[in-house]
Amino acid sequence: MSSRGGKQKKGNVTSEQEEEEQPLQAVLVADSFNRRFFPISKDQPRALLPLGNVAMIDYTLEFLTSTGVQETFVFCCWMSNKIKDHLLKSKWCRPTSPNVVHIITSDLYRSLGDVLRDVDAKNLVRNDFILVYGDVVSNIDVSQALQEHRHRRKVDKNISVMTMVFKESSPGHKTRCEEDDVIVAMDSKSKRVLHYQKTQGLKKLQFPMNIFQHGSDEFEIRHDLLDCHISICSPQVAELFTDNFDYQTRNDFVRGILVNEEILGNQIHLYVTQDGYGARVSNLQMYDSVSLDMVRRWVYPLTPEANFTDQQGQGCTHSRHNVYRGAEVSLGHGSQMEENVLIGRDTSIGANCHISNSVIGNNCTIGDNVVLDRAHMWNNVHVSSNVEIHQSVVCDGAVVKEAVRLNKQCVLAYNVVIGPNLSLPEGTVVSMHHPEEEEEDDDDEFLSDDQEVGHSKDKTRQKAFNPAEVGPEGKGYIWKASMNDTEDEELAQCLWGLVLNPDPESDSESEASEESQDRSRSVSPEIDDVNAFQLEVLGTLQRGLEENIVCDNLVLEINSLKYAYNITLKEVMQILTRVVLEYPFQQQGTQLTTLQYTGSLLPLLKTWSPVFKNYIKRAQDHLDCLSAVEELFLEQDTHQTAMVKVLMKMYQLEILEEEAILKWFSTGATNDKSRQLRKNQGVRLGQICVWGKPSQNVKGYQFGHCGSLILLLQKETTLLIFSDGVQRKQTPCSQCHKKESCGMV
Amino acid sequence: MELQAVLMAAGGGSRMMDLTYNTPKPLLPVGNKPLIWYPLNLLERVGFEEVIVITTKEVQKMISTDPKVKLDVKMKLDLVCIQEDADMGTADALRHIQQKVKTDVLVVSCDLITDAALHEVVDLFRAHNATLSMLMSKAHEFTETVPGQKGKKKTGEQRDFVGVDGTGKRLLFMANEADLDEGVVIRKSIMRKHPRMHIKTGLVDAHLYCLKKSVVDFLADNKSISSIRGELVPYLVRKQFSKSTNSPKVIDETHQNLKKNDKIQISSRDEELLHLTQERSCWNDHRGDMSDAYHGGRLRCYVHIMDEGICYRVNTLAAYIEANRLAPKLFDEPAVHPSAVVSERCLIGADSIIGASCQISDKTSIKRSTIGVSTTVREKVKVTNSIIMHGVTIEEGCNIQGSVICSNAVIGRGADIKYCLVGSAQRIEPDGENPKLQARSLYFPYTQSPQPSIHPHPPPLPPTPPNSYKLKAQHSKRAQFKDSP
């Protein structure tokens, strides 16, 4: 019995092993599908650009091999022949290589999506595979991530389709660049990615609520992650790319999966490494930092002296302060290599040079008194004496003549000659390709890129070099951002990526505005409601006019708004009055004359009178309405004369009652201004009474000197209305105590 | 004196009106002690000698007169009364006692029952010279059946979103789900300073806050803030990252008040020294960049989140029942009060509490229950999972299970009560034999149109019941009595 059990166990183990033993595959995309490295990448594909004197694709392949990948598919498009040649010569294509490299080339690949669709069409992957770009430099051991990925797939039945590998690094770290900056919301326990967003150009990060409704009660929002662009994918990923032909990049894919999570039921997880190194050389800024990280041995065991590409003559020695010297390097008298310097073989350096944080390629010659700081020189570069180079890239075959100064972020592309006696301003890019040829090529998007270079070469000869730009003996053109790409992205033209600004001051502005918002909100939150309600009422009335909506429906709508914004009836009326009276201003601007104003307002009053009547019922309502009218006309003091017309119209439309108007007139004015208004309008108010009161037989009106209004009624009686008191019949004016003189006609 | 303790005990208990109808919330018996005793005891344990208790006149009167409400604390209680009908929030109350506040304050709510180590909160406050530090706990699931609540608990409750930094201490974000229509919006600059933010949702705020004195002064100037939890705390959390709060005195934004500014400077004279120390020290609260500790911010909010231990806010009926179950574990007192008369021939579980001068008769069994002061339990009664308050009389042969019987109620002979809440001074007196009350019902003296069989004595107070009451319609009761022969 026991032996049988043991056997069974063994059987299980072997079956598991078999599963594991399927060779780990990787898809390496040796094309970036963008032009970030133009014009450098016009002559050499990005994957073959040297970093620490080794082509970048070799780092990627070494990384894959060291994590146990046994079969790698290298997809190339741009200059595929060069990549193919390089790989065929390299150790990866030797028969002893543990990692079998298949090179698949096609000119039709225009994006990562195309590559993965081809992977699916050719049925290349059978199991989980690693997806990387040809410019990823990493020493991360992804075996644990792979294990987690497999475990998840086993437990959750293929729900998880991708595990993205991230490296922990604080914001502001120099290997983070703005364009690759991401923010990730994840479930703390399951490490599931809930939200993935590039933060470039954003000030506020918004996370939709639905990502927090997955039952978990703990989430993490992480901004301390550096995207290594290494992903562990299940075979479904290729299928999903086929299904969704609009997925172009991995970013599209991730967003698509997250948005359609509920429909497709696929999930993405992440794996965060703390001590590995992983970065993608996506722009020159990254190139600069990764290159220095390499020299500073962060990518150990991939170090310059390790010669992992196993090429003859590549070996170098490592001495303290991270100074590496290749074979046959000669160093002149008094030259100092301060720190983090890598010098390739057969390079000679003159006397009294200062070199720090730089990489110099093979077969370079450097003159006397040269200062190099963060210079990246590739092979066969000639630098004359008295040259200063700061944080710049000098490509193969370039010649820098005497007394040239390259300021920060300059690029000398292949075979350029600069100088003598010239200082290149910051960010200058000099190339043998004329920028205009680029434009011409751009017109034909579907031409193969290889061809572009071929047939444009003749044209370059025809154009003369500008000695002011490249020096009297210089050869090359200043490379400028071509204009027709502006719609694309301005950034795409910026060879050096944007540096992360560790403390952007720009934030303060938004903070300040937010603060003021805060303050107003905290002081009286109701104001917002009232304002919002006012806007809504305005909108409703506007729509009512446009669409000819019956007033009853308008009332219904306003009533529902009233509840939505928790507005009292009194406020409704005030707001309604205000909105209606302001309507002409709202529509035709504030520059209206009084005549125009009344002309447009009075018909409106007529149309909306049922709305008013619905709200103005009790005596108090009338007064409230009147005070709203008064308030408005106090603000619009140029239109005060219109007030009486408005009141009269409202009276005629039976919105306001005469008693109410009189009462309003007589109840005390609250301040000087309104008193003035009443006085001015008093005469006209009399008109209302006259016009409006045939019943009481008003014969005429008079105006008392203390502001009272005297209506002459029939039967020889008068009605006195005081500006501060009630109406009295035939009572002498109590204010001036002058029985005869005060208004008594 | 480093901290002054302020106990907020004026809340009406609006979420459990059924219980607080006759007894104010601070005096509800939990484990035969008034609710207010628990926070007082918590403060006493950590060495406070004086507490400012903000409460209502009613509570004050009852504390001083009612013998059943024995607070049993040695601390000096400074009772401050506020008007009940003034609708004051907690921040209003704090503003009310501003004159008494001389130092930083520790604000506790009267409904907090916890065994938390208070020093954790205070240590955060001290260590980071924080403006605010508070206590939170993982939310507990209430498993017991709650009277009056039928079916499952309503889902889709509004959750609080609390964002803390990588250490889990610094409070970065706080919002209620209800306010997050547009999703969680976080400024990038905050993420840059605190790149790893944990957002937690399953937390209960214990309503225990350490606040700087300047915050109390700030409240005095800003009358619009009325609640600590609802307005002040979110405000402070938000203010942590705004530019203008680089110095603590700017917290009161009224710059004109020069006098006030001077005062604050005088009161925090060692602040300068502290600042200097911070400048000279190589200590930093974060890693990853080279900026100063706290990124130069002077307003800091911290939170201590309890992973384990008891932390309840007794503000709902469910929490009240749960608290009663756990209360015996919080203090070591004999389960049966020495003055209680307990028959030898009855069964009392170890997890039950019998209050003072109770009478428990023969053949009675009491399990997992609390019996209040001066309660009489007659023969052959079975009480399980229930809370019996003070002065209740339970006649023979009753069976009470999972219920809450409020003070001075009388349960008639042979009643069978399951998952019910019986209101204060209510009499359950059947005319037939062995009445059986509808399970999961609430019985109140103010039920509309009382049934004579249930209410032989009309209740003294028939107020209009608030809308929120879930009153069981009488027909359900009628139905039961129809059933019984």
Side-chain angles (χ1 to χ4, degrees):
Chain A
M1 279 294 277
S2 65
S3 67
R4 213 165 143 198
K7 261 183 196 169
Q8 262 183 344
K9 233 183 196 174
K10 248 185 199 168
N12 279 343
V13 168
T14 44
S15 73
E16 258 172 44
Q17 272 175 346
E18 269 166 30
E19 229 170 77
E20 300 265 312
E21 269 168 17
Q22 278 204 346
L24 180 60
Q25 295 173 308
V27 171
L28 192 156
V29 184
D31 204 320
S32 55
F33 306 114
N34 65 30
R35 299 181 165 200
R36 289 306 305 275
F37 272 69
F38 262 29
I40 301 175
S41 55
K42 277 198 155 208
D43 298 310
Q44 190 86 325
R46 193 199 287 190
L48 293 188
L49 300 182
L51 187 127
N53 294 343
V54 175
M56 288 201 270
I57 195 168
D58 290 330
Y59 289 99
T60 317
L61 282 167
E62 178 67 28
F63 152 70
L64 290 174
T65 311
S66 65
T67 52
V69 172
Q70 287 165 296
E71 193 175 12
T72 307
F73 300 98
V74 179
F75 287 81
C76 341
C77 171
W78 170 244
M79 294 195 175
S80 47
N81 291 335
K82 281 198 176 184
I83 299 176
K84 202 167 181 177
D85 289 348
H86 174 88
L87 289 178
L88 288 175
K89 271 190 274 172
S90 71
K91 75 167 186 177
W92 315 112
C93 287
R94 288 178 205 163
T96 50
S97 168
N99 185 0
V100 183
V101 174
H102 306 277
I103 304 163
I104 298 163
T105 62
S106 164
D107 291 336
L108 296 173
Y109 300 143
R110 291 281 152 187
S111 68
L112 178 72
D114 293 338
V115 169
L116 284 169
R117 279 185 275 275
D118 203 37
V119 168
D120 187 42
K122 290 184 172 143
N123 222 344
L124 294 174
V125 291
R126 297 172 297 275
N127 215 325
D128 296 338
F129 65 97
I130 297 174
L131 175 67
V132 282
Y133 280 100
D135 44 15
V136 168
V137 177
S138 170
N139 64 358
I140 297 169
D141 183 8
V142 295
S143 53
Q144 201 189 334
L146 203 65
Q147 224 166 17
E148 283 178 23
H149 179 79
R150 284 180 176 150
H151 177 73
R152 267 195 291 268
R153 287 182 57 76
K154 216 179 255 175
V155 172
D156 287 343
K157 297 212 173 112
N158 301 348
I159 282 178
S160 174
V161 290
M162 190 191 256
T163 300
M164 297 197 276
V165 178
F166 288 92
K167 153 118 186 78
E168 204 171 78
S169 77
S170 323
H173 192 278
K174 62 183 173 49
T175 47
R176 288 178 66 154
C177 61
E178 175 90 30
E179 36 171 320
D180 245 357
D181 225 19
V182 290
I183 192 133
V184 178
M186 61 183 252
D187 190 317
S188 302
K189 280 178 204 124
S190 65
K191 294 199 174 153
R192 205 177 113 201
V193 178
L194 301 170
H195 188 78
Y196 175 90
Q197 193 178 20
K198 296 217 173 197
T199 62
Q200 189 186 346
L202 294 176
K203 263 185 191 159
K204 284 188 173 175
L205 306 164
Q206 203 165 18
F207 304 92
M209 280 315 274
N210 61 334
I211 66 168
F212 299 109
Q213 276 148 2
H214 290 291
S216 172
D217 59 359
E218 209 174 322
F219 308 95
E220 251 178 90
I221 295 175
R222 299 194 67 164
H223 191 48
D224 60 342
L225 298 178
L226 171 72
D227 194 346
C228 303
H229 290 272
I230 301 167
S231 353
I232 300 165
C233 306
S234 48
Q236 277 155 284
V237 171
E239 292 164 25
L240 283 164
F241 266 98
T242 310
D243 293 345
N244 297 278
F245 52 86
D246 56 331
Y247 288 172
Q248 294 300 316
T249 60
R250 195 186 67 157
N251 208 24
D252 291 341
F253 174 77
V254 172
R255 300 211 70 163
I257 292 288
L258 294 180
V259 169
N260 300 322
E261 195 254 310
E262 273 153 37
I263 306 165
L264 299 171
N266 291 321
Q267 297 179 349
I268 293 177
H269 290 80
L270 56 75
Y271 173 81
V272 179
T273 173
Q274 260 146 3
D275 38 31
Y277 185 90
R280 183 181 173 207
V281 180
S282 47
N283 53 35
L284 277 185
Q285 188 72 47
M286 287 297 281
Y287 178 86
D288 179 40
S289 356
V290 173
S291 175
L292 279 176
D293 287 341
M294 158 71 65
V295 172
R296 288 177 181 139
R297 307 177 78 78
W298 284 106
V299 204
Y300 187 87
L302 304 184
T303 50
E305 88 277 14
N307 190 17
F308 59 87
T309 51
D310 203 15
Q311 275 172 336
Q312 273 198 327
Q314 268 291 359
C316 57
T317 58
H318 174 219
S319 43
R320 66 195 191 120
H321 301 309
N322 291 334
V323 174
Y324 305 83
R325 274 182 252 206
E328 308 293 324
V329 168
S330 72
L331 193 63
H333 180 74
S335 281
Q336 278 187 347
M337 292 192 281
E338 283 169 9
E339 52 169 5
N340 306 321
V341 179
L342 167 61
I343 301 174
R345 65 169 188 273
D346 299 326
T347 289
S348 65
I349 294 168
N352 297 320
C353 294
H354 278 269
I355 305 175
S356 58
N357 302 314
S358 297
V359 175
I360 301 169
N362 303 329
N363 289 319
C364 294
T365 47
I366 290 170
D368 300 337
N369 300 318
V370 172
V371 177
L372 301 179
D373 182 40
R374 298 183 82 174
H376 303 277
M377 283 188 203
W378 297 355
N379 301 327
N380 306 316
V381 174
H382 291 269
V383 176
S384 306
S385 302
N386 303 318
V387 168
E388 248 184 81
I389 299 180
H390 298 278
Q391 202 188 354
S392 295
V393 175
V394 183
C395 299
D396 284 6
V399 178
V400 182
K401 304 246 172 184
E402 286 246 330
V404 168
R405 185 187 160 92
L406 297 188
N407 284 313
K408 275 186 176 178
Q409 306 195 343
C410 284
V411 176
L412 302 184
Y414 289 91
N415 304 319
V416 162
V417 182
I418 288 288
N421 300 319
L422 188 75
S423 170
L424 282 186
E426 199 170 303
T428 316
V429 180
V430 184
S431 157
M432 289 306 281
H433 297 281
H434 197 273
E436 277 168 28
E437 75 189 50
E438 153 85 351
E439 275 177 40
E440 286 154 23
D441 297 340
D442 266 352
D443 300 337
D444 200 337
E445 272 283 318
F446 291 97
L447 259 184
S448 159
D449 285 337
D450 290 83
Q451 280 178 322
E452 288 174 24
V453 181
H455 75 73
S456 57
K457 251 175 191 163
D458 315 316
K459 291 181 195 168
T460 47
R461 296 273 154 76
Q462 296 162 5
K463 289 157 189 160
F465 306 117
N466 183 355
E469 286 174 353
V470 293
E473 295 165 31
K475 286 179 188 170
Y477 307 100
I478 300 274
W479 179 267
K480 286 183 194 107
S482 65
M483 298 318 274
N484 28 346
D485 268 347
T486 39
E487 51 183 306
D488 213 10
E489 248 177 301
E490 275 176 56
L491 272 164
Q493 295 304 320
C494 171
L495 207 53
W496 293 85
L498 297 174
V499 199
L500 276 183
N501 193 350
D503 186 22
E505 290 298 313
S506 55
D507 278 343
S508 58
E509 221 176 280
S510 68
E511 273 169 29
S513 67
E514 197 171 87
E515 230 162 79
S516 63
Q517 265 180 11
D518 276 359
R519 211 173 304 162
S520 66
R521 201 181 303 146
S522 62
V523 168
S524 57
E526 304 91 356
I527 278 183
D528 279 351
D529 270 359
V530 171
N531 281 341
F533 177 73
Q534 185 167 343
L535 285 177
E536 291 274 8
V537 169
L538 179 68
T540 307
L541 292 180
Q542 221 163 343
R543 211 155 34 77
L545 268 193
E546 283 161 11
E547 297 170 19
N548 250 333
I549 297 175
V550 194
C551 280
D552 285 351
N553 291 347
L554 290 181
V555 169
L556 214 62
E557 227 167 285
I558 293 173
N559 277 345
S560 63
L561 287 173
K562 167 180 175 279
Y563 291 116
Y565 289 96
N566 196 18
I567 303 283
T568 64
L569 200 61
K570 183 178 168 186
E571 280 170 320
V572 171
M573 199 170 38
Q574 283 171 339
I575 288 165
L576 182 69
T577 316
R578 176 167 271 271
V579 166
V580 170
L581 294 185
E582 276 178 350
Y583 197 82
F585 298 123
Q586 196 68 249
Q587 299 296 309
Q588 298 163 37
T590 46
Q591 305 305 321
L592 284 178
T593 63
T594 311
L595 210 65
Q596 282 171 322
Y597 173 71
T598 47
S600 55
L601 179 68
L602 296 183
L604 291 176
L605 280 176
K606 190 169 182 187
T607 358
W608 288 328
S609 66
V611 182
F612 276 104
K613 280 182 200 163
N614 186 67
Y615 289 104
I616 303 174
K617 284 176 177 151
R618 297 167 299 151
Q620 187 58 42
D621 299 342
H622 289 269
L623 287 183
D624 289 338
C625 175
L626 279 164
S627 63
V629 173
E630 179 184 359
E631 205 176 298
L632 184 109
F633 280 102
L634 280 175
E635 279 169 31
Q636 304 279 351
D637 37 11
T638 47
H639 298 296
Q640 281 186 359
T641 42
M643 180 182 179
V644 81
K645 282 196 177 165
V646 171
L647 288 183
M648 202 184 79
K649 188 77 187 170
M650 289 175 100
Y651 174 74
Q652 281 172 349
L653 291 168
E654 294 174 0
I655 297 170
L656 294 175
E657 282 171 14
E658 161 226 342
E659 273 170 40
I661 298 178
L662 292 178
K663 193 174 178 199
W664 162 76
F665 177 74
S666 50
T667 41
T670 42
N671 55 31
D672 288 348
K673 242 182 140 183
S674 62
R675 195 169 299 138
Q676 190 68 31
L677 175 80
R678 279 164 212 230
K679 198 164 180 181
N680 290 343
Q681 300 309 313
V683 180
R684 289 155 175 276
L685 202 66
Q687 291 173 349
I688 302 174
C689 305
V690 176
W691 286 324
K693 258 200 191 169
S695 55
Q696 285 213 2
N697 302 321
V698 181
K699 286 196 292 190
Y701 60 91
Q702 277 268 325
F703 211 48
H705 78 266
C706 56
S708 55
L709 178 74
I710 303 131
L711 298 181
L712 304 175
L713 305 178
Q714 272 181 355
K715 297 173 200 162
E716 304 304 313
T717 55
T718 52
L719 181 70
L720 259 173
I721 305 161
F722 295 103
S723 57
D724 60 338
V726 238
Q727 325 171 359
R728 288 175 217 160
K729 277 185 183 173
Q730 283 186 322
T731 324
C733 175
S734 61
Q735 285 200 322
C736 45
H737 303 291
K738 285 179 192 164
K739 278 186 191 178
E740 301 84 29
S741 58
C742 181
M744 306 294 269
V745 187
Chain B
M1 190 167 54
E2 187 198 353
L3 278 167
Q4 272 178 300
V6 177
L7 183 64
M8 298 284 179
S14 55
R15 270 169 285 191
M16 43 184 210
M17 280 295 195
D18 308 333
L19 289 174
T20 54
Y21 174 67
N22 272 63
T23 320
K25 183 163 92 164
L27 303 179
L28 277 179
V30 174
N32 280 347
K33 289 179 185 297
L35 184 50
I36 194 173
W37 177 84
Y38 292 89
L40 284 174
N41 180 259
L42 177 74
L43 294 172
E44 197 173 55
R45 278 206 308 262
V46 294
F48 278 99
E49 291 172 351
E50 201 179 329
V51 189
I52 301 171
V53 181
I54 297 175
T55 188
T56 55
K57 285 231 168 60
E58 189 192 1
V59 175
Q60 189 198 22
K61 211 171 109 190
M62 285 177 84
I63 288 178
S64 50
T65 56
D66 201 333
K68 281 180 220 154
V69 185
K70 223 170 69 187
L71 278 182
D72 194 24
V73 280
K74 296 179 192 81
M75 285 185 296
K76 192 183 154 206
L77 300 186
D78 183 358
L79 291 172
V80 178
C81 291
I82 57 168
Q83 282 176 326
E84 270 167 275
D85 48 356
D87 193 28
M88 281 170 93
T90 40
D92 294 321
L94 209 54
R95 191 178 299 127
H96 187 69
I97 57 154
Q98 194 218 350
Q99 302 304 325
K100 295 189 182 232
V101 175
K102 304 280 185 281
T103 63
D104 303 339
V105 289
L106 175 75
V107 180
V108 193
S109 166
C110 77
D111 54 10
L112 174 67
I113 296 188
T114 179
D115 61 353
L118 209 52
H119 71 85
E120 300 260 20
V121 183
V122 180
D123 282 352
L124 278 178
F125 188 69
R126 290 171 179 152
H128 299 284
N129 194 15
T131 309
L132 159 80
S133 73
M134 58 195 286
L135 177 69
M136 285 197 180
S137 160
K138 290 240 162 73
H140 301 276
E141 290 278 322
F142 298 124
T143 47
E144 302 288 336
T145 322
V146 176
Q149 186 181 297
K150 285 189 179 161
K152 291 210 165 167
K153 261 195 267 178
K154 46 191 170 174
T155 48
E157 249 174 65
Q158 304 285 9
R159 297 177 291 174
D160 269 325
F161 281 65
V162 176
V164 289
D165 72 348
T167 61
K169 302 284 184 205
R170 181 88 188 256
L171 193 53
L172 303 175
F173 178 82
M174 193 175 225
N176 189 279
E177 200 169 11
D179 303 325
L180 296 173
D181 300 332
E182 292 164 16
V184 175
V185 179
I186 295 166
R187 274 211 307 278
K188 196 168 155 193
S189 56
I190 300 180
M191 287 314 296
R192 201 172 278 129
K193 286 173 191 158
H194 304 277
R196 197 169 174 179
M197 187 189 285
H198 295 264
I199 301 240
K200 305 191 178 200
T201 55
L203 296 180
V204 200
D205 185 353
H207 285 226
L208 185 147
Y209 311 99
C210 280
L211 292 168
K212 275 255 180 296
K213 183 179 184 299
S214 57
V215 177
V216 183
D217 296 337
F218 162 75
L219 277 180
D221 293 336
N222 278 270
K223 302 265 192 299
S224 61
I225 295 178
S226 77
S227 147
I228 294 182
R229 176 62 173 82
E231 290 160 67
L232 180 66
V233 172
Y235 177 82
L236 290 177
V237 170
R238 235 180 11 248
K239 280 287 150 192
Q240 288 183 97
F241 303 102
S242 56
K243 289 267 155 155
S244 59
T245 36
N246 280 341
S247 71
K249 53 184 174 273
V250 195
I251 183 172
D252 55 352
E253 278 144 2
T254 49
H255 284 287
Q256 311 105 328
N257 207 337
L258 280 170
K259 243 191 223 165
K260 182 141 272 151
N261 279 356
D262 291 342
K263 219 198 247 166
I264 288 168
Q265 269 170 341
I266 292 161
S267 69
S268 52
R269 203 171 34 190
D270 15 287
E271 193 101 321
E272 235 166 76
L273 268 177
L274 263 177
H275 197 61
L276 197 68
T277 330
Q278 221 176 68
E279 230 167 63
R280 298 285 160 91
S281 145
C282 61
W283 178 84
N284 207 327
D285 72 319
H286 64 272
R287 8 177 336 194
D289 62 35
M290 302 298 282
S291 57
D292 293 348
Y294 309 115
H295 300 275
R298 293 274 202 99
L299 203 166
R300 299 182 278 271
C301 301
Y302 284 84
V303 60
H304 173 66
I305 297 172
M306 291 169 68
D307 281 329
E308 47 197 22
I310 299 168
C311 181
Y312 285 100
R313 284 202 63 222
V314 182
N315 53 5
T316 59
L317 188 55
Y320 177 72
I321 292 172
E322 196 71 25
N324 265 289
R325 300 222 189 296
L326 288 164
K329 294 177 195 158
L330 277 174
F331 50 88
D332 338 303
E333 275 179 31
V336 179
H337 197 273
S339 66
V341 183
V342 179
S343 154
E344 279 175 17
R345 291 170 60 198
C346 68
L347 194 80
I348 291 174
D351 39 13
S352 296
I353 304 176
I354 312 293
S357 44
C358 274
Q359 290 190 342
I360 313 284
S361 308
D362 291 351
K363 290 181 187 168
T364 286
S365 99
I366 294 168
K367 282 177 201 160
R368 298 187 64 197
S369 297
T370 312
I371 311 285
V373 176
S374 321
T375 290
T376 312
V377 182
R378 303 236 187 275
E379 287 89 359
K380 291 180 190 163
V381 173
K382 214 172 148 189
V383 181
T384 32
N385 275 345
S386 296
I387 300 156
I388 317 286
M389 294 193 193
H390 307 308
V392 176
T393 309
I394 300 172
E395 300 284 353
E396 296 166 27
C398 287
N399 184 6
I400 298 170
Q401 189 187 337
S403 300
V404 179
I405 315 281
C406 293
S407 299
N408 304 321
V410 177
I411 310 294
R413 177 186 297 233
D416 186 4
I417 298 176
K418 271 184 191 162
Y419 305 110
C420 288
L421 195 149
V422 177
S424 195
Q426 173 75 290
R427 296 179 80 89
I428 304 290
E429 258 182 63
D431 45 3
E433 267 176 35
N434 297 336
K436 193 175 172 194
L437 265 68
Q438 173 81 5
R440 303 184 182 182
S441 304
L442 312 178
Y443 291 89
F444 290 100
Y446 47 84
T447 315
Q448 295 131 319
S449 70
Q451 283 219 311
S453 61
I454 298 187
H455 302 279
H457 310 292
L461 283 170
T464 47
N467 298 336
S468 60
Y469 286 7
K470 277 186 196 154
L471 290 176
K472 283 291 138 262
Q474 314 83 354
H475 71 260
S476 60
K477 275 175 239 164
R478 220 178 275 137
Q480 304 134 31
F481 287 107
K482 261 182 210 157
D483 287 344
S484 54

